[in-house]
Amino acid sequence: MKKKNILLLYDNRELDRQVLRPVNYDSFEEEWIRQNGGNAGNKLFNTAIEQYLTKDDIEYSYYTGSESVNEINEKYDLAIFTTANIFNAHPRIRKELDAFAATIEQFRIPVYILGCGLQCASYDDISALAQEIGASARTFMKAVYRTGGELAVRGYATKELLDKVMPNTAVVTGCPSFYQRGSEIRVTNDKVEEEQFKPAVNGNLKYLKQIGMLKAFERYADSIYMDQDEFAEILYFHSKKKICIAELVRKKTLCGVKLLAQDRVRLFYDVPVWLAFFQEQGISFSCGSRIHGNIAATLAGIPAVVMYRDARTRELAEFFELPNQAEYDSHKSLYEMYLEADYTAFNRNFARKFQAFERFIVSHGISHDLNDRSLFEKQMAKQEWKAPILRGQEARDHIRKQFGRWESLYRLYETGIDKLRGLR
């Protein structure tokens, strides 16, 4: 049987694409520094893509940068490029968009763009974004279409942007990460009593502070902060350098440092461990501004509400009909938000969205039968997936000791910083 050979055009980020074996936390620090940081949400995305390609008749490999375009054209049947927010006015991202277009123009194999989307503050900015990046986006799309490829976009806002740029046949499929547990995902509308309510909150800590959401950690003493990148260094680096608590408060908020001191921060870079944590710890609700943090919870069957802060997050939450909102009502508890969240529409329509994504994948000859995860799960079962041992014990002991002794002073320090910011 001749196997289909697929090239994955990903960034060279070992932690993000190390899917079929557990992350080695002994070398986590080295990899994190080498790849200039990371985001556990990328791992959720990459795990999904590899799952869809783990079939008996498919071989796939990552682009290393060492292959010439001619070698790629000779060796591979098609290429897949995954990028979340490539349609973006940021100068660095726009430069990347131009570079990707120049590379893809040289391909003689079909290139499929999966899960791509826009990045702008709100839907009102779509027209301005189209004008600003129109030439680059048009060149990129034409390069894809010249190969015989196609684009699968995250939501209808991105489709609106592309329609303003040029005629296209891009398909709205949502994010591929949401389909990795098959078409039968359901989120219960049954509610636990508040005494049993255990929320997991995600999102940039400074943003959560800005909208007044950090108060939830005080109200729910056993709540967890589900981190994706903010405290990776403190949790997993071996560094013995002395930590300045005041500087940490300035960068990560007083609440964030307190959560560290109370051992209420979790960051998982292995998806099986991440999803299992929700069930094993009895998490009953997920809420925050990290779209993949909330997708991870939903994949584990945990109700989630997305607090969107831009068009990128909003379009994805709306596409999947996950409960979402732009404003956080600080007069309302997380438990009240949980009680109001309704997953009827999500449950009713998710299978149809899964089928549309699978139709895109199958019709373009990328893979088949995405509900059949047996080979992928067989390979995953060869590994032992365990919660990571936190490496930065000395750093966390220092934080716990110093914070416990001087919490009131750090609180005054943060209050002073906030007042200075208010005077700007």
Side-chain angles (χ1 to χ4, degrees):
M1 175 180 63
K2 184 179 183 301
K3 292 190 175 185
K4 184 174 299 178
N5 212 346
I6 296 178
L7 176 66
L8 301 179
L9 296 170
Y10 291 161
D11 290 336
N12 189 24
R13 292 173 173 262
E14 181 62 25
L15 285 173
D16 292 352
R17 68 189 197 187
Q18 187 178 324
V19 168
L20 291 172
R21 68 183 190 280
V23 164
N24 180 359
Y25 285 92
D26 286 330
S27 60
F28 184 93
E29 178 177 357
E30 176 185 338
E31 288 295 340
W32 186 271
I33 293 171
R34 188 181 67 79
Q35 70 180 36
N36 193 29
N39 179 345
N42 297 336
K43 190 66 171 288
L44 192 76
F45 194 118
N46 294 346
T47 298
I49 298 299
E50 290 206 26
Q51 177 187 294
Y52 307 145
L53 301 181
T54 303
K55 304 289 183 181
D56 288 324
D57 56 351
I58 295 175
E59 286 187 358
Y60 63 89
S61 54
Y62 290 94
Y63 176 65
T64 65
S66 62
E67 308 98 325
S68 70
V69 173
N70 286 337
E71 288 172 331
I72 289 172
N73 287 331
E74 289 295 325
K75 180 178 179 180
Y76 296 98
D77 297 297
L78 60 91
I80 293 174
F81 180 42
T82 59
T83 176
N85 59 344
I86 195 63
F87 299 114
N88 189 325
H90 190 286
R92 179 180 62 81
I93 305 298
R94 187 170 179 180
K95 187 176 180 180
E96 288 181 0
L97 181 62
D98 292 335
F100 291 140
T103 300
I104 291 171
E105 281 179 340
Q106 303 176 65
F107 283 16
R108 298 195 307 272
I109 57 174
V111 177
Y112 297 99
I113 316 298
L114 300 184
C116 64
L118 54 68
Q119 176 78 59
C120 60
S122 72
Y123 289 171
D124 293 336
D125 299 313
I126 293 175
S127 293
L129 180 62
Q131 287 187 333
E132 188 168 358
I133 69 167
S136 295
R138 192 157 41 248
T139 300
F140 177 79
M141 293 166 68
K142 285 181 177 178
V144 171
Y145 284 133
R146 281 195 199 101
T147 70
E150 185 56 276
L151 297 89
V153 302
R154 288 160 63 99
Y156 292 105
T158 299
K159 176 61 173 168
E160 179 183 340
L161 172 76
L162 300 188
D163 288 344
K164 291 178 183 295
V165 169
M166 63 172 276
N168 65 86
T169 53
V171 180
V172 179
T173 62
C175 181
S177 64
F178 223 145
Y179 302 118
Q180 60 190 284
R181 289 212 160 179
S183 61
E184 299 302 317
I185 290 177
R186 296 292 181 271
V187 180
T188 182
N189 274 318
D190 295 338
K191 310 296 181 180
V192 301
E193 297 296 327
E194 190 166 14
E195 292 76 19
Q196 285 79 48
F197 181 63
K198 186 174 182 178
V201 178
N202 59 72
N204 176 275
L205 286 164
K206 284 190 173 181
Y207 173 72
L208 296 179
K209 178 185 175 185
Q210 177 187 325
I211 64 175
M213 199 168 171
L214 292 182
K215 295 176 183 177
F217 289 112
E218 298 177 14
R219 177 159 184 163
Y220 302 102
D222 60 350
S223 57
I224 295 293
Y225 174 56
M226 291 299 295
D227 187 18
Q228 289 181 209
D229 55 9
E230 295 216 51
F231 291 120
E233 181 175 348
I234 291 173
L235 295 176
Y236 296 121
F237 282 22
H238 295 275
S239 175
K240 297 184 184 301
K241 67 179 181 181
K242 190 67 71 174
I243 293 172
C244 176
I245 309 298
E247 182 68 3
L248 198 60
V249 168
R250 184 183 70 80
K251 289 181 177 180
K252 305 298 183 184
T253 76
L254 179 86
C255 179
V257 178
K258 187 172 184 177
L259 291 170
L260 271 177
Q262 295 174 338
D263 193 29
R264 293 166 63 190
V265 177
R266 297 291 181 272
L267 189 161
F268 300 114
Y269 239 85
D270 291 320
V271 171
V273 178
W274 189 0
L275 301 190
F277 175 83
F278 289 107
Q279 297 287 346
E280 292 168 357
Q281 297 299 313
I283 302 297
S284 45
F285 183 56
S286 171
C287 185
S289 59
R290 292 281 200 170
I291 187 63
H292 283 107
N294 291 307
I295 288 176
T298 311
L299 288 172
I302 306 301
V305 170
V306 178
M307 303 295 304
Y308 64 81
R309 56 187 296 191
D310 55 22
R312 176 184 64 88
T313 305
R314 180 182 180 182
E315 73 164 343
L316 202 47
E318 290 182 345
F319 175 80
F320 282 110
E321 298 174 278
L322 272 182
N324 61 87
Q325 56 192 70
E327 302 293 334
Y328 175 70
D329 185 351
S330 59
H331 300 292
K332 186 179 294 185
S333 70
L334 278 191
Y335 185 71
E336 289 173 302
M337 288 178 60
Y338 163 73
L339 291 178
E340 293 173 1
D342 186 355
Y343 301 89
T344 303
F346 173 87
N347 292 334
R348 181 175 59 242
N349 297 319
F350 182 81
R352 177 176 55 81
K353 294 179 174 69
F354 176 96
Q355 291 158 8
F357 175 72
E358 183 178 49
R359 193 158 50 245
F360 179 93
I361 295 296
V362 172
S363 66
H364 292 291
I366 299 170
S367 186
H368 52 85
D369 195 4
L370 302 191
N371 258 321
D372 180 8
R373 307 186 301 281
S374 56
L375 184 57
F376 180 80
E377 290 176 350
K378 182 179 179 180
Q379 293 193 21
M380 296 288 276
K382 295 177 182 177
Q383 306 290 340
E384 187 175 6
W385 302 94
K386 298 189 300 183
I389 297 173
L390 302 182
R391 303 289 171 179
Q393 185 64 50
E394 186 174 329
R396 286 180 292 108
D397 285 346
H398 173 71
I399 291 170
R400 189 176 297 113
K401 181 179 179 180
Q402 293 299 311
F403 189 82
R405 182 180 296 174
W406 306 109
E407 179 180 355
S408 59
L409 288 178
Y410 293 131
R411 189 175 300 278
L412 287 172
Y413 170 71
E414 184 179 56
T415 301
I417 292 174
D418 291 342
K419 286 181 178 178
L420 285 174
R421 285 178 179 146
L423 292 174
R424 290 177 183 174

